[in-house]
Amino acid sequence: AKAYEMMTAGKSDCIVVVESRAHRVPVGTITAHDICRQLIGGERDPRRLTAANVMDTKIVKANGKSDAAKCLELLARRAAQRL
């Protein structure tokens, strides 16, 4: 529930999950689609759903100076949807 609240407050359909507040190392991402898939498709109890159950741990990172072509190449090579 907290992940979805963060998404709606930030008007985003995706959030980055970090290891901890002190160590802001990305460990996964959660999308609104991921949450719906777990709740509806997986028929799970929303009160027992955790970030670890929902998040995608395949993180694709790009250098801040990467151009669009390089970013698209990274996404294609890793079969990812988000960068």
Side-chain angles (χ1 to χ4, degrees):
K2 185 175 179 181
Y4 186 75
E5 289 171 8
M6 290 171 69
M7 281 185 242
T8 55
K11 297 181 181 172
S12 174
D13 71 339
C14 180
I15 61 169
V16 177
V17 180
V18 294
E19 184 178 310
S20 68
R21 287 183 189 213
H23 305 227
R24 300 178 60 84
V25 176
V27 294
T29 59
I30 299 176
T31 65
H33 178 76
D34 295 332
I35 294 170
C36 290
R37 188 179 62 231
Q38 288 293 323
L39 291 176
I40 297 167
E43 298 181 14
R44 296 188 140 197
D45 181 350
R47 294 170 297 216
R48 296 181 183 213
L49 201 60
T50 66
N53 297 125
V54 179
M55 73 180 177
D56 180 358
T57 57
K58 291 188 310 181
I59 298 175
V60 179
K61 297 184 238 178
N63 181 313
K65 297 178 182 178
S66 297
D67 62 19
K70 179 67 174 174
C71 292
L72 287 172
E73 178 187 327
L74 278 169
L75 290 170
R77 194 170 1 139
R78 301 260 179 93
Q81 295 179 351
R82 290 186 169 69
L83 187 62

